[in-house]
Amino acid sequence: MHDAPSSSSLALPDNDQSTMPHHIAFIMDGNGRWAQQRGLPRIAGHKAGVESLRKTIAHALKLQLKYLTLFSFSSENWSRPAAEVDAIMGLLRRFVKSDLAELNAKNVRIRIIGSRQNLPLDVANYLMEAENTTQANTGLTLVVAFNYGSRDEISRAAQRLAEKVAAGQLKPQDINESAVSAELDTAGLPDPDMLIRTSGEHRLSNFLLWQNAYTEFIFIDVFWPDFCEEDFDKALQIFAKRHRRFGNICATKSVV
Ligand code: IPE
Ligand code: IPE
Ligand code: MG
């Protein structure tokens, strides 16, 4: 039996569900600086970041959000000191061990995006276990971007398309936007409506470059471990006031 979120728990500040995004993506940034400000090692910031991640998932469930994407480790983050990378791998292992059963009970479906290459074998297995265990769930889709980089994703997609052309399964003229989308790690997922980046940095850092074509960006000046429900609600209020045009001349409602 799965927990059904109670309708009374809907928490959009103005109770207007028509402006609730379907898909929110997060760049969870600022763990290291949060720790350094406190005289702690950067790894302590990543640990605190996991708590913030749990609270964010809980809030997304309360809001009955359909898709939540979390940027957890980028393909460029391998350039960090080995001890920090090892600690992040350890946190991922621990998170799956401690939280997978509860997420599954809450009807959460986990999708992993990013390359499976170069990951420690047990980490790749934990990611696969998370996807397999939750694949039949119908509640929140939690997309975890791990070992993810958008340019890497697009290059891998281009390779697969080229292989199909070489094998005679696809004509070059049939490579259109939907054919490209279908080869991306995010195949079948809607594009994010809103992207929130914490830590005060105003950049994408190679995150969902294709999928964020018409996403609304919100940059928040708090480090990820300090990101709380109030910040989440404030971002939703800002989103509700945005006018999305998708290239047209008149504003469309914020959710399509
Ligand atoms: C985000 O926090 C977490 C990961 C990239 C894994 P950072 O570790 O980038 O923290 P800052 O940006 O250096 O403060
Ligand atoms: C993006 O943050 C990656 C994650 C949050 C996982 P970074 O901290 O790696 O980005 P840059 O280096 O500041 O652009
Ligand atoms: Mg950072």
Side-chain angles (χ1 to χ4, degrees):
M1 261 305 261
H2 294 305
D3 288 343
S6 82
S7 54
S8 60
S9 64
L10 286 178
L12 238 200
D14 58 2
N15 278 334
D16 181 359
Q17 292 307 302
S18 68
T19 58
M20 178 70 195
H22 296 306
H23 184 175
I24 304 177
F26 278 92
I27 300 179
M28 310 185 288
D29 196 24
N31 292 348
R33 280 165 286 168
W34 179 93
Q36 278 161 345
Q37 259 190 358
R38 287 161 176 75
L40 298 168
R42 290 177 56 87
I43 291 164
H46 295 310
K47 274 193 198 140
V50 175
E51 282 313 311
S52 207
L53 178 150
R54 286 196 179 102
K55 279 190 256 165
T56 301
I57 296 172
H59 201 50
L61 285 166
K62 199 162 128 195
L63 292 162
Q64 297 188 347
L65 186 71
K66 295 192 177 73
Y67 299 90
L68 175 67
T69 294
L70 302 173
F71 201 6
S72 308
F73 186 77
S74 80
S75 41
E76 287 71 33
N77 289 149
W78 292 104
S79 63
R80 295 185 178 200
E84 182 171 343
V85 171
D86 285 351
I88 294 170
M89 296 296 152
L91 287 171
L92 187 274
R93 289 183 187 99
R94 249 170 284 155
F95 181 76
V96 175
K97 276 195 234 168
S98 58
D99 288 52
L100 180 59
E102 190 182 332
L103 291 171
N104 189 34
K106 290 190 168 147
N107 199 18
V108 173
R109 180 177 190 182
I110 297 175
R111 272 274 299 261
I112 310 295
I113 59 170
S115 171
R116 306 291 166 102
Q117 299 256 297
N118 305 322
L119 286 174
L121 187 62
D122 71 321
V123 169
N125 286 338
Y126 277 119
L127 295 176
M128 213 162 29
E129 183 193 344
E131 276 191 317
N132 292 343
T133 306
T134 62
Q135 64 182 341
N137 289 346
T138 54
L140 170 73
T141 297
L142 175 64
V143 183
V144 180
F146 199 85
N147 194 19
Y148 177 86
S150 204
R151 290 179 172 181
D152 171 66
E153 175 193 35
I154 292 168
S155 310
R156 286 186 282 107
Q159 270 179 28
R160 280 192 293 271
L161 288 167
E163 281 161 11
K164 285 186 181 172
V165 171
Q169 296 159 357
L170 184 70
K171 297 193 193 93
Q173 60 269 32
D174 291 336
I175 300 179
N176 53 22
E177 291 185 16
S178 61
V180 174
S181 288
E183 292 297 340
L184 296 174
D185 296 350
T186 51
L189 298 170
D191 290 341
D193 298 299
M194 166 163 90
L195 169 77
I196 299 174
R197 181 171 189 150
T198 57
S199 91
E201 305 296 351
H202 295 189
R203 57 178 171 263
L204 280 176
S205 302
N206 202 14
F207 189 46
L208 301 176
L209 301 181
W210 172 279
Q211 298 86 343
N212 279 326
Y214 278 100
T215 300
E216 294 294 326
F217 294 168
I218 294 179
F219 298 104
I220 298 184
D221 210 1
V222 301
F223 295 136
W224 175 251
D226 286 331
F227 181 80
C228 63
E229 287 189 1
E230 289 72 34
D231 297 317
F232 201 152
D233 286 339
K234 247 185 267 166
L236 289 171
Q237 283 170 336
I238 294 168
F239 176 81
K241 293 196 187 94
R242 296 272 177 96
H243 298 290
R244 303 177 77 186
R245 282 189 285 277
F246 300 96
N248 209 326
I249 55 168
C250 51
T252 319
K253 40 184 196 165
S254 48
V255 179
V256 284

